[in-house]
Amino acid sequence: QQPVQSPQAVILREGEDAVINCSSSKALYSVHWYRQKHGEAPVFLMILLKGGEQKGHEKISASFNEKKQQSSLYLTASQLSYSGTYFCGTEKAAGNKLTFGGGTRVLVKP
Amino acid sequence: NAGVMQNPRHLVRRRGQEARLRCSPMKGHSHVYWYRQLPEEGLKFMVYLQKENIIDESGMPKERFSAEFPKEGPSILRIQQVVRGDSAAYFCASSPRALEYEQYFGPGTRLTVT
């Protein structure tokens, strides 16, 4: 079953913060985050494995709460380049397929 | 190190024709995944292949669609007797091992069925 992402869309001013959530009704082994710009391929951001770890890449970080079966992506001090659609992909077991959420559109304005 | 390559980038087919989409994974990657993306929608898993083996095809339509990843050459997604509903962007991704590792996506093939 497809994970649910929220919000569906968010508009930010440059420098503002945002949180994107990804929730599953099933137990998860891992969560993958990707960003896709219009007309382009998805670009990998990070993977979180079960264990409640947190990861970061510059000013984009994420957490994974396996008990709640939820992951959150944090955009801190957003930049114009952060605009795009963010997808989470969830994996129920190692070596299983990725099931992607419907995406969250982020628009960062100057 | 070249990334994932897909060709053609754009493909136009008339209803009833066949479409062949090719994907060359990154060097050293033996796992290939195919996804379909309809306009303004998310990525839908179709099939997961390793060299000469289909590992998971649970996302593939039962009819008209097939995929292969031969020992030599690219992975091919084949759609027979295309219909307008097949119009979409088809992305392939590759990884060096099974999931736990990031998937690197190709630029996609945009299929238009007229």
Side-chain angles (χ1 to χ4, degrees):
Chain A
Q1 196 168 359
Q2 185 179 23
V4 176
Q5 287 186 235
S6 62
Q8 287 187 317
V10 59
I11 299 175
L12 302 165
R13 290 283 177 196
E14 204 173 359
E16 291 182 340
D17 303 340
V19 180
I20 301 170
N21 296 307
C22 173
S23 298
S24 173
S25 58
K26 308 275 187 182
L28 298 176
Y29 175 76
S30 71
V31 179
H32 301 223
W33 285 97
Y34 288 81
R35 178 173 60 210
Q36 185 180 30
K37 295 190 182 279
H38 186 70
E40 299 181 9
V43 173
F44 170 78
L45 293 176
M46 63 192 80
I47 295 177
L48 299 104
L49 302 179
K50 69 177 182 178
E53 65 177 78
Q54 193 153 354
K55 280 195 174 180
H57 174 69
E58 297 181 344
K59 291 185 177 174
I60 298 176
S61 61
S63 62
F64 178 23
N65 187 323
E66 63 189 273
K67 286 184 180 176
K68 291 186 178 179
Q69 293 147 203
Q70 178 176 311
S71 177
S72 296
L73 187 74
Y74 306 95
L75 307 180
T76 306
S78 57
Q79 304 170 16
L80 296 176
S81 62
Y82 288 3
S83 292
T85 301
Y86 289 77
F87 292 99
C88 69
T90 57
E91 182 189 10
K92 290 187 289 185
N96 208 291
K97 64 176 187 261
L98 274 182
T99 303
F100 283 93
T104 296
R105 290 188 191 180
V106 173
L107 176 62
V108 181
K109 293 185 173 182
Chain B
N1 189 9
V4 178
M5 299 175 68
Q6 288 187 249
N7 67 78
R9 295 290 304 276
H10 299 274
L11 182 61
V12 180
R13 284 286 178 265
R14 290 201 178 108
R15 277 180 298 172
Q17 291 184 319
E18 177 179 288
R20 281 192 180 221
L21 288 61
R22 293 175 184 77
C23 169
S24 296
M26 286 181 71
K27 188 176 180 181
H29 288 194
S30 58
H31 298 249
V32 166
Y33 312 83
W34 284 93
Y35 296 89
R36 177 164 60 179
Q37 187 175 38
L38 295 170
E40 310 303 321
E41 292 190 13
L43 296 150
K44 302 291 187 203
F45 168 81
M46 297 183 75
V47 62
Y48 163 32
L49 310 105
Q50 292 180 34
K51 282 286 186 181
E52 300 184 279
N53 289 306
I54 295 175
I55 306 302
D56 183 345
E57 57 181 348
S58 57
M60 287 274 273
K62 299 293 181 200
E63 297 177 352
R64 301 189 298 110
F65 285 72
S66 62
E68 62 177 11
F69 189 15
K71 189 176 179 182
E72 301 291 338
S75 175
I76 294 177
L77 180 68
R78 183 180 174 206
I79 311 172
Q80 295 178 291
Q81 299 174 334
V82 295
V83 300
R84 286 222 172 104
D86 296 334
S87 295
Y90 292 83
F91 290 97
C92 86
S94 73
S95 68
R97 292 172 61 177
L99 291 170
E100 279 187 33
Y101 292 83
E102 59 266 35
Q103 295 182 16
Y104 296 88
F105 279 79
T109 293
R110 276 150 186 85
L111 173 65
T112 302
V113 179
T114 61

